[in-house]
Amino acid sequence: MDESLKDGRDRIGHRAGSSGYRRVVVAMTAAGIATFAQLYAVQAVLPGMAGEFRAPASAVALTVSFATAGLAGCVLVWSGAADRFGRVRVMTAALVLSTLLGLAAPFAPDIASLLVLRALQGAALGGVPAVAMAYLAEEIAPSHLGRVAGVYIAGNTVGGMSGRLVAGAVADLGGWRWGVAADSLLGLAALLVFLVAVPPARGFVRRPRRRGTGDRGAGMAARLAGALRDPGMIALYLQALLLMGAFVTVYNYLGFRMAGEPFGLSPTLVAFLFVAYLAGTASSAGTGRAIERFGRHPVLACSVIAMAAGAALLAVPAFTAVAAGLLLLTFFFFAAHTTAAAWVGHRAAPAARAQASALYTLCYYLGSSAFGWLGGLLYDHWGWNAVVGYVLALCACALLAGAALRTGRG
């Protein structure tokens, strides 16, 4: 047996410092970059789209919502496929298909066809976040899982930031279509790194298909029921739903706010606001150690409170206050997300781990698509301060829902 693997009570995994551990970290970082660079790149070019298509902010923001809704609608399908065909095969297929769709998006002749392409691309991208945490739980030694989950989510933040920066900067030179095309090429490069780095799966156990007995459907239903039985798991899914809705609302419409009065920033300067994602990278990578020291629930609750404080600063009509608020909101959103996502893998029953991860992802992107779009309606009708109040309300609801996490497993 590879010395990097260790027998645990219920699984084996790569330990920190081994070659397998390093390859998993590189591969999953690349997968996160490929996924989130493509998923959210259009956020940086929404004002340009609104100008070309002569549409309000809430309408062009549907290019984000359709992608995240497509992702949310397919995570359970991808998780079922991963139980049958393996995590690595599913992630590979998802990244290849989504990159091809991303390369087609700049050629969309109108917003309707662009929305269709974005929905299909989001559905394809769902194959990575739907199974990533289950894959890490199977391949990484339990004592290092929280740390690697943080590194994976840090890769997500790098992808989200770099995708927005590339798209925004290129769009300032050649329009939003060139910005989206450049971002798709970034996703292609990250896909190639993933294919080279990812090691063969060692912890995956294929679930055999039973023909003609109905056991397969019953087994999936039982695993889903197991992932829903615990009130604490419901509370974790609500963290994903509410906090992601708040976070995406800010990033969807902050560009419109900063391009208008009293700021008047250019598209390139607006895109550089997404450098705030580096705060999320640092937060994701360091949250595992904070959890080890203070515990999961205190870290999650304090992160939600601090995220709300950052959102409140965004109402101040001064660039320094907006920049500070965005950094604070981003840092503590990713601290909360890292805590909740790793907690799902830890708290879920082993047989239902893939379904619990998929349900968390489903809620995460439902929050992005539904609550992110609803925030646009508030912006169109009542302006930026209404958006800030809406984000604060979502954070308050997440904090209340987190009380269920003090209970034991259901």
Side-chain angles (χ1 to χ4, degrees), residues 28-191:
M28 294 309 295
T29 300
I33 290 172
T35 301
F36 292 93
Q38 296 184 87
L39 187 63
Y40 289 114
V42 294
Q43 277 185 332
V45 298
L46 290 179
M49 285 184 183
E52 178 175 330
F53 295 128
R54 298 179 183 177
S58 57
V60 293
L62 288 173
T63 58
V64 179
S65 293
F66 271 50
T68 53
L71 191 156
C74 290
V75 290
L76 291 176
V77 175
W78 283 116
S79 71
D83 283 344
R84 171 67 177 164
F85 300 107
R87 320 299 188 204
V88 174
R89 286 184 179 178
V90 160
M91 288 189 287
T92 300
L95 289 173
V96 170
L97 182 57
S98 63
T99 301
L100 292 174
L101 289 165
L103 291 169
F107 300 99
D110 50 47
I111 193 167
S113 53
L114 179 61
L115 290 175
V116 171
L117 283 170
R118 288 287 294 165
L120 292 173
Q121 186 181 26
L125 285 169
V128 176
V131 303
M133 288 301 176
Y135 170 75
L136 292 176
E138 291 168 351
E139 302 299 324
I140 298 297
S143 58
H144 302 303
L145 179 58
R147 188 181 305 178
V148 178
V151 173
Y152 163 66
I153 293 174
N156 296 350
T157 68
V158 170
M161 180 195 70
S162 58
R164 291 166 169 98
L165 282 175
V166 168
V170 174
D172 204 13
L173 299 174
W176 72 265
R177 295 178 188 274
W178 282 104
V180 172
D183 191 71
S184 297
L185 293 175
L186 173 63
L188 177 61
L191 166 61

Side-chain angles (χ1 to χ4, degrees), residues 276-368:
Y277 255 63
L278 289 175
T281 304
S283 170
S284 300
T287 297
R289 292 180 176 85
I291 292 170
E292 291 170 4
R293 183 174 179 181
F294 300 108
R296 294 180 180 88
H297 191 271
V299 170
L300 179 61
C302 290
S303 297
V304 174
I305 292 169
M307 180 182 168
L313 281 174
L314 298 176
V316 179
F319 181 81
T320 52
V322 171
L326 191 62
L327 285 169
L328 195 62
L329 177 137
T330 304
F331 184 95
F332 285 104
F333 166 75
F334 280 104
H337 172 42
T338 300
T339 304
W343 205 341
V344 167
H346 175 82
R347 185 163 181 140
R353 189 173 287 124
Q355 283 65 44
S357 178
L359 285 170
Y360 181 88
T361 304
L362 171 65
C363 291
Y364 189 80
Y365 292 106
L366 279 177
S368 173

Side-chain angles (χ1 to χ4, degrees), residues 183-204:
D183 191 71
S184 297
L185 293 175
L186 173 63
L188 177 61
L191 166 61
L192 295 176
V193 172
F194 171 82
L195 294 175
V196 171
V198 68
R202 300 295 297 268
F204 172 69

